[in-house]
Amino acid sequence: IYTHQRYAGFGHKQFGELTYGNMVTITDEVKQSDLANTYSLSDGLLDGSARRVTQYVYNGNYGDNKVKFGAYYGGSSKRSMKNLDLANKRKNAWGTGLIFNHEIDSIQNVTVAAGFTREISENANNTSLFRNAYGLGLAYNFVHTTYGLDLERQVTKNQGDKRTKNEVRAIVRQGLNEDWNVYAMYSYKTEKTLPVGSAYSKSTDRQFLVGTEYYVFKQGSVKVKPFIEWQATRTKYENTFDKDSGKQLDRSRDFKTVIGLRAYW
């Protein structure tokens, strides 16, 4: 048994909040296409949580605008958020995020969010592994309808190797009434690795998801909802080992269905 999150700190309504521990970080809020259910396509490339970090978050209201800004920093750590030993011990990690929300009127608002995270890890041969990630999130809410879009990029460098990931994710979520929601998501993801020499590998994922959820119980902070989701993934693999071997292509398809139940308290 272990604790995913454990942190403490102090705050002020005007000057912000300062905390230390294992926590979800400000950069987790940059995503605007996120869904909480099992097959959400929005895990994202930004680090959204971290162990043993100090974080400052500021919330401000300026007329019809809400601004939330935060930054965190953590030193060395040998474990992940799941309390398991990391293959590459973390030297340090930091990140920052900004979320801006503008209320157009009583039934519609827009959100713009941006974030950056950086982590440096230690390899077995004492070399360093650098991982930088950038994210931009956009959302528009109209009554019970939400449109969201995320653009993210992650670059990992390790002793001559370079791995680049890009993600574009979009979501449409419609509330049919106060308890019943339907939603659809689409994502386009690429991952390209450039080792030393002329070899490279690349994969491209196209994913589509539809789902629905219904709150069968709401009482104070306690909520219970069953849900059902269906997901389709098409992946194309492309690689070459040297300049004379030519490209090698492969494709795969994957279909998943899940029926689940979530409870909040």
Side-chain angles (χ1 to χ4, degrees):
I1 299 175
Y2 58 87
T3 302
H4 278 281
Q5 299 180 41
R6 183 177 64 251
Y7 59 92
F10 55 90
H12 189 278
K13 290 183 179 179
Q14 181 179 353
F15 301 113
E17 182 182 77
L18 185 68
T19 52
Y20 173 80
N22 309 334
M23 68 187 84
V24 174
T25 56
I26 182 67
T27 46
D28 183 66
E29 300 183 38
V30 173
K31 294 181 291 186
Q32 300 301 308
S33 64
D34 196 22
L35 287 171
N37 294 338
T38 302
Y39 280 150
S40 172
L41 309 179
S42 298
D43 292 337
L45 301 177
L46 290 172
D47 290 331
S49 60
R51 282 177 54 87
R52 301 174 63 182
V53 296
T54 300
Q55 177 170 260
Y56 169 76
V57 175
Y58 169 79
N59 271 296
N61 295 313
Y62 302 93
D64 296 331
N65 303 317
K66 295 181 180 180
V67 177
K68 188 172 186 179
F69 167 79
Y72 70 89
Y73 176 83
S76 63
S77 176
K78 68 177 183 179
R79 294 190 178 96
S80 67
M81 282 295 289
K82 295 183 178 180
N83 208 31
L84 301 175
D85 287 343
L86 294 167
N88 303 100
K89 178 182 176 181
R90 189 186 81 188
K91 286 186 175 181
N92 60 70
W94 66 275
T96 183
L98 173 67
I99 298 94
F100 175 83
N101 180 274
H102 173 66
E103 185 175 313
I104 301 172
D105 52 39
S106 60
I107 61 172
Q108 57 183 331
N109 63 79
V110 294
T111 301
V112 179
F116 171 81
T117 60
R118 177 179 175 88
E119 182 174 322
I120 302 177
S121 303
E122 182 179 326
N123 292 323
N125 57 1
N126 295 323
T127 59
S128 294
L129 183 150
F130 300 85
R131 186 175 72 240
N132 297 336
Y134 316 81
L136 174 67
L138 306 169
Y140 172 71
N141 297 284
F142 178 79
V143 191
H144 300 299
T145 306
T146 299
Y147 301 95
L149 177 68
D150 286 322
L151 307 172
E152 292 188 353
R153 179 179 177 88
Q154 183 187 92
V155 179
T156 303
K157 295 182 179 180
N158 175 28
Q159 201 177 12
D161 293 358
K162 181 179 179 182
R163 184 190 312 158
T164 303
K165 295 181 179 180
N166 295 292
E167 289 191 10
V168 179
R169 304 185 302 269
I171 181 175
V172 178
R173 181 176 178 271
Q174 178 65 52
L176 302 179
N177 55 42
E178 293 299 322
D179 299 318
W180 188 12
N181 301 311
V182 294
Y183 47 86
M185 297 184 68
Y186 174 79
S187 71
Y188 179 83
K189 304 176 181 180
T190 64
E191 179 176 350
K192 188 172 184 179
T193 303
L194 295 172
V196 178
S198 58
Y200 79 91
S201 63
K202 181 180 179 180
S203 65
T204 302
D205 287 340
R206 292 176 174 86
Q207 296 177 289
F208 178 72
L209 176 147
V210 290
T212 184
E213 58 186 14
Y214 185 82
Y215 287 91
V216 296
F217 181 83
K218 287 183 180 180
Q219 186 68 44
S221 61
V222 180
K223 300 178 181 179
V224 178
K225 64 172 181 180
F227 64 90
I228 182 170
E229 293 180 342
W230 179 81
Q231 179 194 123
T233 301
R234 293 185 177 184
T235 304
K236 182 176 75 172
Y237 304 95
E238 178 182 322
N239 61 69
T240 180
F241 299 101
D242 55 61
K243 62 182 180 180
D244 299 321
S245 63
K247 290 183 180 180
Q248 296 184 5
L249 298 175
D250 194 10
R251 290 177 172 84
S252 68
R253 293 183 179 183
D254 186 37
F255 302 98
K256 299 176 181 178
T257 303
V258 62
I259 298 175
L261 180 74
R262 296 183 73 93
Y264 303 85
W265 62 89

mmCIF file of all heavy atoms in Angstrom, residues 15 34 54 61 64 69 96 100 118 121 123 127 132 172 178 181 184 186 194 203 227 234 255:
data_model
loop_
_atom_site.group_PDB
_atom_site.id
_atom_site.type_symbol
_atom_site.label_atom_id
_atom_site.label_comp_id
_atom_site.label_asym_id
_atom_site.label_seq_id
_atom_site.Cartn_x
_atom_site.Cartn_y
_atom_site.Cartn_z
ATOM 1 N N PHE A 15 -1.956 36.146 -2.166
ATOM 2 C CA PHE A 15 -0.568 35.947 -2.593
ATOM 3 C C PHE A 15 -0.265 34.558 -3.137
ATOM 4 O O PHE A 15 0.826 34.312 -3.639
ATOM 5 C CB PHE A 15 0.381 36.264 -1.433
ATOM 6 C CG PHE A 15 0.241 37.668 -0.929
ATOM 7 C CD1 PHE A 15 -0.258 37.915 0.338
ATOM 8 C CD2 PHE A 15 0.589 38.743 -1.732
ATOM 9 C CE1 PHE A 15 -0.390 39.206 0.812
ATOM 10 C CE2 PHE A 15 0.458 40.046 -1.278
ATOM 11 C CZ PHE A 15 -0.042 40.280 -0.004
ATOM 12 N N ASP A 34 -8.883 16.566 -21.762
ATOM 13 C CA ASP A 34 -8.743 15.457 -20.830
ATOM 14 C C ASP A 34 -10.095 14.873 -20.431
ATOM 15 O O ASP A 34 -11.078 15.587 -20.281
ATOM 16 C CB ASP A 34 -8.011 15.942 -19.573
ATOM 17 C CG ASP A 34 -7.484 14.794 -18.742
ATOM 18 O OD1 ASP A 34 -7.313 13.698 -19.301
ATOM 19 O OD2 ASP A 34 -7.237 14.984 -17.545
ATOM 20 N N THR A 54 8.711 21.282 -4.798
ATOM 21 C CA THR A 54 8.152 22.491 -4.207
ATOM 22 C C THR A 54 7.400 23.234 -5.297
ATOM 23 O O THR A 54 7.952 23.464 -6.377
ATOM 24 C CB THR A 54 9.255 23.379 -3.632
ATOM 25 O OG1 THR A 54 9.971 22.655 -2.618
ATOM 26 C CG2 THR A 54 8.668 24.646 -3.014
ATOM 27 N N ASN A 61 -8.432 36.823 -10.059
ATOM 28 C CA ASN A 61 -9.646 37.196 -10.793
ATOM 29 C C ASN A 61 -9.543 38.661 -11.200
ATOM 30 O O ASN A 61 -9.327 39.529 -10.348
ATOM 31 C CB ASN A 61 -10.893 36.983 -9.932
ATOM 32 C CG ASN A 61 -11.132 35.523 -9.604
ATOM 33 O OD1 ASN A 61 -11.067 34.680 -10.491
ATOM 34 N ND2 ASN A 61 -11.421 35.221 -8.354
ATOM 35 N N ASP A 64 -13.871 39.698 -15.809
ATOM 36 C CA ASP A 64 -14.397 38.453 -16.381
ATOM 37 C C ASP A 64 -13.306 37.439 -16.677
ATOM 38 O O ASP A 64 -13.576 36.397 -17.270
ATOM 39 C CB ASP A 64 -15.161 38.758 -17.677
ATOM 40 C CG ASP A 64 -16.387 39.619 -17.429
ATOM 41 O OD1 ASP A 64 -16.958 39.532 -16.326
ATOM 42 O OD2 ASP A 64 -16.766 40.388 -18.334
ATOM 43 N N PHE A 69 -1.479 30.713 -12.418
ATOM 44 C CA PHE A 69 -0.081 30.531 -12.799
ATOM 45 C C PHE A 69 0.617 29.719 -11.723
ATOM 46 O O PHE A 69 0.334 29.853 -10.534
ATOM 47 C CB PHE A 69 0.622 31.878 -12.946
ATOM 48 C CG PHE A 69 2.122 31.760 -13.033
ATOM 49 C CD1 PHE A 69 2.734 31.386 -14.218
ATOM 50 C CD2 PHE A 69 2.914 31.983 -11.915
ATOM 51 C CE1 PHE A 69 4.115 31.253 -14.301
ATOM 52 C CE2 PHE A 69 4.292 31.856 -11.980
ATOM 53 C CZ PHE A 69 4.899 31.494 -13.182
ATOM 54 N N THR A 96 6.400 24.732 -15.481
ATOM 55 C CA THR A 96 5.588 25.914 -15.251
ATOM 56 C C THR A 96 4.351 25.866 -16.137
ATOM 57 O O THR A 96 4.380 25.259 -17.220
ATOM 58 C CB THR A 96 6.392 27.200 -15.523
ATOM 59 O OG1 THR A 96 5.589 28.346 -15.228
ATOM 60 C CG2 THR A 96 6.839 27.272 -16.975
ATOM 61 N N PHE A 100 -5.494 30.646 -18.589
ATOM 62 C CA PHE A 100 -6.255 31.890 -18.701
ATOM 63 C C PHE A 100 -7.669 31.564 -19.156
ATOM 64 O O PHE A 100 -7.862 30.893 -20.171
ATOM 65 C CB PHE A 100 -5.585 32.835 -19.700
ATOM 66 C CG PHE A 100 -6.357 34.098 -19.963
ATOM 67 C CD1 PHE A 100 -6.247 35.187 -19.109
ATOM 68 C CD2 PHE A 100 -7.191 34.205 -21.064
ATOM 69 C CE1 PHE A 100 -6.952 36.358 -19.344
ATOM 70 C CE2 PHE A 100 -7.910 35.367 -21.316
ATOM 71 C CZ PHE A 100 -7.789 36.447 -20.448
ATOM 72 N N ARG A 118 10.619 20.074 -17.773
ATOM 73 C CA ARG A 118 11.970 19.609 -18.096
ATOM 74 C C ARG A 118 12.439 18.676 -16.986
ATOM 75 O O ARG A 118 12.303 18.985 -15.807
ATOM 76 C CB ARG A 118 12.936 20.779 -18.220
ATOM 77 C CG ARG A 118 14.397 20.374 -18.479
ATOM 78 C CD ARG A 118 15.265 21.622 -18.612
ATOM 79 N NE ARG A 118 16.681 21.328 -18.750
ATOM 80 C CZ ARG A 118 17.300 21.096 -19.895
ATOM 81 N NH1 ARG A 118 16.604 21.120 -21.022
ATOM 82 N NH2 ARG A 118 18.588 20.848 -19.963
ATOM 83 N N SER A 121 17.682 13.136 -16.078
ATOM 84 C CA SER A 121 17.882 11.873 -15.382
ATOM 85 C C SER A 121 19.307 11.391 -15.574
ATOM 86 O O SER A 121 20.034 11.848 -16.469
ATOM 87 C CB SER A 121 16.891 10.812 -15.905
ATOM 88 O OG SER A 121 15.561 11.258 -15.754
ATOM 89 N N ASN A 123 21.862 8.224 -16.351
ATOM 90 C CA ASN A 123 22.017 6.883 -16.905
ATOM 91 C C ASN A 123 22.991 6.070 -16.076
ATOM 92 O O ASN A 123 23.711 6.596 -15.217
ATOM 93 C CB ASN A 123 22.494 6.951 -18.358
ATOM 94 C CG ASN A 123 21.428 7.522 -19.278
ATOM 95 O OD1 ASN A 123 20.252 7.268 -19.100
ATOM 96 N ND2 ASN A 123 21.857 8.310 -20.249
ATOM 97 N N THR A 127 25.993 9.335 -17.659
ATOM 98 C CA THR A 127 25.614 10.383 -18.592
ATOM 99 C C THR A 127 24.195 10.856 -18.253
ATOM 100 O O THR A 127 23.482 10.213 -17.488
ATOM 101 C CB THR A 127 25.660 9.889 -20.046
ATOM 102 O OG1 THR A 127 24.760 8.779 -20.182
ATOM 103 C CG2 THR A 127 27.077 9.454 -20.427
ATOM 104 N N ASN A 132 12.470 17.410 -22.516
ATOM 105 C CA ASN A 132 11.720 18.663 -22.501
ATOM 106 C C ASN A 132 10.360 18.441 -23.151
ATOM 107 O O ASN A 132 10.247 17.718 -24.145
ATOM 108 C CB ASN A 132 12.453 19.766 -23.263
ATOM 109 C CG ASN A 132 13.798 20.114 -22.642
ATOM 110 O OD1 ASN A 132 14.011 19.894 -21.456
ATOM 111 N ND2 ASN A 132 14.702 20.640 -23.433
ATOM 112 N N VAL A 172 -14.911 16.595 -28.339
ATOM 113 C CA VAL A 172 -16.242 17.215 -28.291
ATOM 114 C C VAL A 172 -17.017 16.483 -27.204
ATOM 115 O O VAL A 172 -17.144 15.252 -27.232
ATOM 116 C CB VAL A 172 -16.989 17.106 -29.632
ATOM 117 C CG1 VAL A 172 -18.380 17.715 -29.508
ATOM 118 C CG2 VAL A 172 -16.202 17.783 -30.736
ATOM 119 N N GLU A 178 -28.314 17.082 -16.865
ATOM 120 C CA GLU A 178 -27.396 17.311 -15.753
ATOM 121 C C GLU A 178 -26.597 16.068 -15.380
ATOM 122 O O GLU A 178 -25.544 16.174 -14.767
ATOM 123 C CB GLU A 178 -28.187 17.799 -14.534
ATOM 124 C CG GLU A 178 -28.812 19.178 -14.699
ATOM 125 C CD GLU A 178 -27.770 20.256 -14.931
ATOM 126 O OE1 GLU A 178 -26.685 20.184 -14.314
ATOM 127 O OE2 GLU A 178 -28.037 21.166 -15.742
ATOM 128 N N ASN A 181 -23.758 12.458 -20.127
ATOM 129 C CA ASN A 181 -22.821 13.068 -21.067
ATOM 130 C C ASN A 181 -22.436 12.068 -22.150
ATOM 131 O O ASN A 181 -22.310 10.868 -21.895
ATOM 132 C CB ASN A 181 -21.543 13.523 -20.354
ATOM 133 C CG ASN A 181 -21.811 14.528 -19.262
ATOM 134 O OD1 ASN A 181 -22.510 15.509 -19.471
ATOM 135 N ND2 ASN A 181 -21.259 14.287 -18.081
ATOM 136 N N ALA A 184 -16.695 12.426 -27.799
ATOM 137 C CA ALA A 184 -15.879 11.813 -28.844
ATOM 138 C C ALA A 184 -14.511 12.473 -28.825
ATOM 139 O O ALA A 184 -14.398 13.687 -28.592
ATOM 140 C CB ALA A 184 -16.528 11.974 -30.218
ATOM 141 N N TYR A 186 -10.405 12.481 -30.757
ATOM 142 C CA TYR A 186 -9.515 12.074 -31.841
ATOM 143 C C TYR A 186 -8.102 12.518 -31.483
ATOM 144 O O TYR A 186 -7.897 13.619 -30.937
ATOM 145 C CB TYR A 186 -9.924 12.713 -33.167
ATOM 146 C CG TYR A 186 -8.929 12.436 -34.281
ATOM 147 C CD1 TYR A 186 -8.922 11.216 -34.943
ATOM 148 C CD2 TYR A 186 -7.968 13.383 -34.637
ATOM 149 C CE1 TYR A 186 -8.003 10.938 -35.939
ATOM 150 C CE2 TYR A 186 -7.040 13.127 -35.636
ATOM 151 C CZ TYR A 186 -7.062 11.904 -36.287
ATOM 152 O OH TYR A 186 -6.139 11.642 -37.266
ATOM 153 N N LEU A 194 16.006 8.940 -33.608
ATOM 154 C CA LEU A 194 17.184 9.086 -34.459
ATOM 155 C C LEU A 194 18.413 8.633 -33.685
ATOM 156 O O LEU A 194 19.019 9.410 -32.943
ATOM 157 C CB LEU A 194 17.356 10.543 -34.901
ATOM 158 C CG LEU A 194 16.261 11.116 -35.813
ATOM 159 C CD1 LEU A 194 16.469 12.608 -36.001
ATOM 160 C CD2 LEU A 194 16.283 10.414 -37.159
ATOM 161 N N SER A 203 6.855 5.916 -35.654
ATOM 162 C CA SER A 203 5.522 5.330 -35.552
ATOM 163 C C SER A 203 4.487 6.450 -35.563
ATOM 164 O O SER A 203 4.731 7.541 -35.038
ATOM 165 C CB SER A 203 5.369 4.499 -34.276
ATOM 166 O OG SER A 203 5.465 5.319 -33.129
ATOM 167 N N PHE A 227 -19.943 3.973 -17.027
ATOM 168 C CA PHE A 227 -19.596 4.522 -18.339
ATOM 169 C C PHE A 227 -19.264 3.386 -19.295
ATOM 170 O O PHE A 227 -18.951 2.261 -18.878
ATOM 171 C CB PHE A 227 -18.422 5.496 -18.247
ATOM 172 C CG PHE A 227 -17.122 4.855 -17.799
ATOM 173 C CD1 PHE A 227 -16.229 4.331 -18.717
ATOM 174 C CD2 PHE A 227 -16.807 4.787 -16.450
ATOM 175 C CE1 PHE A 227 -15.040 3.741 -18.314
ATOM 176 C CE2 PHE A 227 -15.621 4.197 -16.030
ATOM 177 C CZ PHE A 227 -14.736 3.673 -16.965
ATOM 178 N N ARG A 234 -5.093 2.972 -35.139
ATOM 179 C CA ARG A 234 -4.348 2.520 -36.312
ATOM 180 C C ARG A 234 -2.915 3.036 -36.206
ATOM 181 O O ARG A 234 -2.696 4.229 -36.038
ATOM 182 C CB ARG A 234 -4.991 3.029 -37.607
ATOM 183 C CG ARG A 234 -6.363 2.434 -37.883
ATOM 184 C CD ARG A 234 -6.887 2.881 -39.237
ATOM 185 N NE ARG A 234 -8.180 2.263 -39.552
ATOM 186 C CZ ARG A 234 -8.816 2.426 -40.700
ATOM 187 N NH1 ARG A 234 -8.277 3.191 -41.654
ATOM 188 N NH2 ARG A 234 -9.973 1.835 -40.911
ATOM 189 N N PHE A 255 -8.594 -2.534 -31.421
ATOM 190 C CA PHE A 255 -9.929 -2.080 -31.028
ATOM 191 C C PHE A 255 -10.169 -2.492 -29.576
ATOM 192 O O PHE A 255 -9.868 -3.624 -29.188
ATOM 193 C CB PHE A 255 -10.996 -2.699 -31.934
ATOM 194 C CG PHE A 255 -10.800 -2.385 -33.391
ATOM 195 C CD1 PHE A 255 -10.169 -3.297 -34.236
ATOM 196 C CD2 PHE A 255 -11.227 -1.177 -33.926
ATOM 197 C CE1 PHE A 255 -9.980 -3.020 -35.579
ATOM 198 C CE2 PHE A 255 -11.043 -0.893 -35.267
ATOM 199 C CZ PHE A 255 -10.417 -1.805 -36.093
#
